[in-house]
Amino acid sequence: AVLASTGAASIADDEGILPLHYACAFGATEETIRILVARFPKALSQKDLQGRDPLIFAIANTKTNPKRAPKVVALLLDLTDIYVPAGTMFQTTEDSSNPLQFLANFVSQIEFREGTKEMCASIKECLPLLLNYSEPTPTVLSTLRTFPGWLLPTAVLSPHVQHILDEKIKDKF
């Protein structure tokens, strides 16, 4: 709350990382995230110098805080609906990836085994949230094809992806 009341919520460090980025990376409470966003709504879509927005930090947090990460992802998407212009959250630029592409790159390095079960469960919980929020484009399907086998059923069986596939089938007939 101190950060929010002093204007510090809008001040990035040398890497372009804002307090909201840090809050998402470390699984801060819902109250903390809401306060930071209320004080500086642009933080929701602001990227650091490596092209990462708060949602990407929250997804990466599935590794260190798997129980908290899906809650933070859901909250960020809810807040995005309020504060960020429609259609801008999942845009890709030359120097950054969108959250779904980040997740695809992130999970490509993860093997489903005993030591990663909790993290994989967290990722499986985050994926439908991202899919339901993203625009139904061919890029979504291309991104999903890069997911490892342990995550594909979660992706393909999501209602959002089923809708995309149904539309593609209708186009063929």
Side-chain angles (χ1 to χ4, degrees), residues 120-138:
C120 291
S122 180
I123 290 166
K124 285 182 177 183
E125 202 174 328
C126 290
L127 179 59
L129 298 169
L130 295 173
L131 288 172
N132 289 337
Y133 195 84
S134 61
E135 294 290 320
T137 64

Side-chain angles (χ1 to χ4, degrees), residues 31-114:
E31 179 185 12
T32 300
I33 292 170
R34 284 185 184 280
I35 289 169
L36 289 169
V37 170
R39 296 292 189 227
F40 188 56
K42 289 181 181 178
L44 280 166
S45 58
Q46 193 160 327
K47 297 176 187 288
D48 70 357
L49 297 180
Q50 293 184 38
R52 301 170 299 183
D53 61 26
L55 192 52
I56 288 176
F57 279 90
I59 293 165
N61 193 30
T62 58
K63 193 173 194 173
T64 54
N65 197 346
K67 290 186 174 159
R68 186 81 189 114
K71 293 174 182 144
V72 174
V73 168
L75 176 59
L76 289 173
L77 291 172
D78 286 346
L79 292 171
T80 295
D81 280 340
I82 298 167
Y83 292 106
V84 178
T88 60
M89 192 65 171
F90 282 79
Q91 289 178 342
T92 304
T93 61
E94 284 182 27
D95 62 343
S96 67
S97 64
N98 70 43
L100 195 58
Q101 290 169 323
F102 174 82
L103 181 63
N105 292 334
F106 183 70
V107 299
S108 70
Q109 305 162 27
I110 299 169
E111 219 177 281
F112 186 81
R113 60 184 196 296
E114 192 61 40

Side-chain angles (χ1 to χ4, degrees), residues 132-149:
N132 289 337
Y133 195 84
S134 61
E135 294 290 320
T137 64
T139 305
V140 170
L141 291 179
S142 297
T143 301
L144 296 182
R145 290 197 338 236
T146 66
F147 283 5

Side-chain angles (χ1 to χ4, degrees), residues 127-128 131 144 147 151-162 165:
L127 179 59
L131 288 172
L144 296 182
F147 283 5
L151 191 56
L152 277 175
T154 303
V156 173
L157 296 175
S158 81
H160 185 71
V161 172
Q162 288 293 308
L165 293 172

